[in-house]
Every structure is written in structure tokens, then in C-alpha cells.
Amino acid sequence: MVGPSCREVLTFAREGTRGMIRVVFGSGPDRVVGGGGWGAHEGGVGRISGGCLDLHRPATVRALIDEVLADGQHFGHATHVDGWQFFDAALARLPPEPPEASRDPSG
């Protein structure tokens, strides 16, 4: 069972500025966070009802930065934001992931 303290945190900082933005994805109803459930992996967040974000994927990071900055957050001070408020918009920005290369060693 996933405890209430399970979370994934993505931290953004801009070179030459003070402060940073921490995007926090906490566990909760309909939420899969990190290694805390079915289909989850470290750096992954998703909803049981559908959709997932891979926080290791550069396109996901870019989509989240764009959404957070569009929301009016800035790098002048340290701040924490609830990542789930940006989940759907970031997911909508993402291009499909390319299919994995064949794992068949025979070619």
C-alpha cells in the first residue's frame, strides 16, 4: 500500500537566478507515484484512470516548465507547486513516445 508521504519531486532552477521551483506529485486517490503501485517506476507519475508522465523524459520536463511558467511561477524565490494541477496540460503537450527498438537479437 502506498503511504501518504510517497511523492515524486521535479526541481527546476535557472542558471544565474536565485530560487527554484519544485513540482511535487504526491500520492492520493487515482494517483500512482514512483514505485508505489501498478505500472509505476521511479520518475513516473500517473492516474489509475489513465495517463502517465515520465519525469525522466526531456519532453515531459519541457512541458512541465512551460505549464508552470505560464501559471505565473518564476525563479526569483524557492517555491513548491502541486504537479497534479499541471498533469493534464503537460500530458496534452507531449508528442507520442517513439516505439522501442526491436529487442529480437536476430534482427
Side-chain angles (χ1 to χ4, degrees):
M1 173 173 243
V2 177
S5 63
C6 291
R7 63 187 180 157
E8 288 286 337
V9 180
L10 186 61
T11 302
F12 304 133
R14 180 176 282 164
E15 186 175 345
T17 64
R18 296 177 57 196
M20 59 189 66
I21 300 171
R22 288 184 182 89
V23 180
V24 181
F25 291 90
S27 60
D30 192 40
R31 297 174 178 178
V32 178
V33 177
W38 171 83
H41 62 85
E42 184 178 333
V45 297
R47 292 200 173 120
I48 294 169
S49 59
C52 62
L53 294 175
D54 181 348
L55 302 181
H56 295 292
R57 185 177 177 207
T60 301
V61 173
R62 177 79 255 170
L64 285 166
I65 288 172
D66 291 344
E67 290 301 322
V68 167
L69 294 177
D71 187 54
Q73 302 298 323
H74 56 87
F75 291 97
H77 62 285
T79 188
H80 292 74
V81 296
D82 178 9
W84 295 107
Q85 71 178 343
F86 304 109
F87 182 88
D88 292 326
L91 190 62
R93 284 181 179 263
L94 292 177
E97 286 194 63
E100 289 189 44
S102 172
R103 295 180 189 225
D104 181 2
S106 64

